[in-house]
mmCIF file of all heavy atoms in Angstrom:
data_model
loop_
_atom_site.group_PDB
_atom_site.id
_atom_site.type_symbol
_atom_site.label_atom_id
_atom_site.label_comp_id
_atom_site.label_asym_id
_atom_site.label_seq_id
_atom_site.Cartn_x
_atom_site.Cartn_y
_atom_site.Cartn_z
ATOM 1 N N ASN Y 282 -44.013 -26.467 -31.497
ATOM 2 C CA ASN Y 282 -43.295 -26.694 -32.756
ATOM 3 C C ASN Y 282 -42.832 -25.373 -33.360
ATOM 4 O O ASN Y 282 -41.706 -25.262 -33.852
ATOM 5 C CB ASN Y 282 -44.189 -27.429 -33.758
ATOM 6 C CG ASN Y 282 -44.331 -28.898 -33.400
ATOM 7 O OD1 ASN Y 282 -43.330 -29.604 -33.254
ATOM 8 N ND2 ASN Y 282 -45.562 -29.345 -33.215
ATOM 9 N N ASP Y 283 -43.723 -24.378 -33.314
ATOM 10 C CA ASP Y 283 -43.329 -23.055 -33.815
ATOM 11 C C ASP Y 283 -42.166 -22.501 -33.001
ATOM 12 O O ASP Y 283 -41.280 -21.834 -33.529
ATOM 13 C CB ASP Y 283 -44.519 -22.091 -33.736
ATOM 14 C CG ASP Y 283 -45.712 -22.611 -34.534
ATOM 15 O OD1 ASP Y 283 -45.568 -22.761 -35.750
ATOM 16 O OD2 ASP Y 283 -46.770 -22.885 -33.922
ATOM 17 N N MET Y 284 -42.183 -22.773 -31.698
ATOM 18 C CA MET Y 284 -41.114 -22.285 -30.826
ATOM 19 C C MET Y 284 -39.777 -22.949 -31.168
ATOM 20 O O MET Y 284 -38.717 -22.327 -31.078
ATOM 21 C CB MET Y 284 -41.465 -22.546 -29.353
ATOM 22 C CG MET Y 284 -42.680 -21.777 -28.840
ATOM 23 S SD MET Y 284 -42.511 -19.977 -28.951
ATOM 24 C CE MET Y 284 -43.516 -19.613 -30.380
ATOM 25 N N MET Y 285 -39.841 -24.229 -31.563
ATOM 26 C CA MET Y 285 -38.597 -24.902 -31.962
ATOM 27 C C MET Y 285 -38.028 -24.254 -33.220
ATOM 28 O O MET Y 285 -36.833 -23.989 -33.309
ATOM 29 C CB MET Y 285 -38.859 -26.390 -32.200
ATOM 30 C CG MET Y 285 -38.875 -27.182 -30.905
ATOM 31 S SD MET Y 285 -38.860 -28.969 -31.142
ATOM 32 C CE MET Y 285 -40.605 -29.334 -30.994
ATOM 33 N N ASN Y 286 -38.900 -23.995 -34.194
ATOM 34 C CA ASN Y 286 -38.427 -23.366 -35.431
ATOM 35 C C ASN Y 286 -37.799 -22.003 -35.145
ATOM 36 O O ASN Y 286 -36.758 -21.652 -35.701
ATOM 37 C CB ASN Y 286 -39.593 -23.206 -36.419
ATOM 38 C CG ASN Y 286 -40.161 -24.557 -36.843
ATOM 39 O OD1 ASN Y 286 -39.470 -25.580 -36.745
ATOM 40 N ND2 ASN Y 286 -41.408 -24.572 -37.279
ATOM 41 N N LEU Y 287 -38.439 -21.263 -34.258
ATOM 42 C CA LEU Y 287 -37.944 -19.921 -33.940
ATOM 43 C C LEU Y 287 -36.609 -19.993 -33.195
ATOM 44 O O LEU Y 287 -35.685 -19.211 -33.450
ATOM 45 C CB LEU Y 287 -39.004 -19.189 -33.108
ATOM 46 C CG LEU Y 287 -38.742 -17.746 -32.727
ATOM 47 C CD1 LEU Y 287 -38.402 -16.909 -33.955
ATOM 48 C CD2 LEU Y 287 -39.964 -17.167 -32.022
ATOM 49 N N THR Y 288 -36.503 -20.940 -32.276
ATOM 50 C CA THR Y 288 -35.261 -21.095 -31.506
ATOM 51 C C THR Y 288 -34.091 -21.389 -32.434
ATOM 52 O O THR Y 288 -33.020 -20.768 -32.329
ATOM 53 C CB THR Y 288 -35.427 -22.237 -30.486
ATOM 54 O OG1 THR Y 288 -36.549 -21.949 -29.648
ATOM 55 C CG2 THR Y 288 -34.176 -22.377 -29.632
ATOM 56 N N GLU Y 289 -34.302 -22.335 -33.340
ATOM 57 C CA GLU Y 289 -33.252 -22.662 -34.312
ATOM 58 C C GLU Y 289 -32.819 -21.428 -35.080
ATOM 59 O O GLU Y 289 -31.634 -21.178 -35.292
ATOM 60 C CB GLU Y 289 -33.780 -23.673 -35.347
ATOM 61 C CG GLU Y 289 -33.965 -25.064 -34.838
ATOM 62 C CD GLU Y 289 -34.626 -25.949 -35.889
ATOM 63 O OE1 GLU Y 289 -35.286 -25.420 -36.818
ATOM 64 O OE2 GLU Y 289 -34.479 -27.173 -35.776
ATOM 65 N N GLU Y 290 -33.822 -20.661 -35.490
ATOM 66 C CA GLU Y 290 -33.533 -19.484 -36.299
ATOM 67 C C GLU Y 290 -32.709 -18.467 -35.513
ATOM 68 O O GLU Y 290 -31.735 -17.905 -36.020
ATOM 69 C CB GLU Y 290 -34.855 -18.854 -36.775
ATOM 70 C CG GLU Y 290 -34.654 -17.691 -37.714
ATOM 71 C CD GLU Y 290 -35.971 -17.111 -38.222
ATOM 72 O OE1 GLU Y 290 -37.032 -17.744 -38.035
ATOM 73 O OE2 GLU Y 290 -35.926 -16.021 -38.804
ATOM 74 N N LEU Y 291 -33.079 -18.235 -34.242
ATOM 75 C CA LEU Y 291 -32.373 -17.242 -33.428
ATOM 76 C C LEU Y 291 -30.908 -17.627 -33.233
ATOM 77 O O LEU Y 291 -30.010 -16.802 -33.368
ATOM 78 C CB LEU Y 291 -33.058 -17.085 -32.059
ATOM 79 C CG LEU Y 291 -34.454 -16.457 -32.063
ATOM 80 C CD1 LEU Y 291 -35.058 -16.496 -30.659
ATOM 81 C CD2 LEU Y 291 -34.413 -15.021 -32.568
ATOM 82 N N PHE Y 292 -30.667 -18.904 -32.935
ATOM 83 C CA PHE Y 292 -29.284 -19.345 -32.701
ATOM 84 C C PHE Y 292 -28.485 -19.363 -34.006
ATOM 85 O O PHE Y 292 -27.364 -18.865 -34.061
ATOM 86 C CB PHE Y 292 -29.265 -20.730 -32.048
ATOM 87 C CG PHE Y 292 -29.407 -20.696 -30.550
ATOM 88 C CD1 PHE Y 292 -30.659 -20.567 -29.957
ATOM 89 C CD2 PHE Y 292 -28.301 -20.768 -29.730
ATOM 90 C CE1 PHE Y 292 -30.799 -20.536 -28.575
ATOM 91 C CE2 PHE Y 292 -28.417 -20.734 -28.346
ATOM 92 C CZ PHE Y 292 -29.674 -20.613 -27.770
ATOM 93 N N GLU Y 293 -29.068 -19.949 -35.047
ATOM 94 C CA GLU Y 293 -28.305 -20.085 -36.289
ATOM 95 C C GLU Y 293 -27.975 -18.720 -36.870
ATOM 96 O O GLU Y 293 -26.843 -18.450 -37.270
ATOM 97 C CB GLU Y 293 -29.092 -20.917 -37.309
ATOM 98 C CG GLU Y 293 -28.232 -21.320 -38.501
ATOM 99 C CD GLU Y 293 -29.046 -21.640 -39.744
ATOM 100 O OE1 GLU Y 293 -29.678 -20.723 -40.303
ATOM 101 O OE2 GLU Y 293 -29.045 -22.809 -40.142
ATOM 102 N N LYS Y 294 -28.955 -17.838 -36.894
ATOM 103 C CA LYS Y 294 -28.715 -16.520 -37.491
ATOM 104 C C LYS Y 294 -27.739 -15.689 -36.655
ATOM 105 O O LYS Y 294 -26.946 -14.937 -37.203
ATOM 106 C CB LYS Y 294 -30.042 -15.766 -37.666
ATOM 107 C CG LYS Y 294 -30.842 -16.255 -38.866
ATOM 108 C CD LYS Y 294 -32.040 -15.361 -39.142
ATOM 109 C CE LYS Y 294 -32.721 -15.747 -40.452
ATOM 110 N NZ LYS Y 294 -34.015 -15.052 -40.610
ATOM 111 N N SER Y 295 -27.806 -15.826 -35.333
ATOM 112 C CA SER Y 295 -26.877 -15.065 -34.497
ATOM 113 C C SER Y 295 -25.448 -15.546 -34.721
ATOM 114 O O SER Y 295 -24.506 -14.753 -34.739
ATOM 115 C CB SER Y 295 -27.257 -15.201 -33.025
ATOM 116 O OG SER Y 295 -28.516 -14.605 -32.798
#
Side-chain angles (χ1 to χ4, degrees):
Chain Y
N282 285 305
D283 302 298
M284 295 300 103
M285 279 191 263
N286 297 338
L287 183 53
T288 303
E289 287 174 339
E290 185 178 348
L291 292 174
F292 275 81
E293 192 203 67
K294 283 189 172 170
S295 295

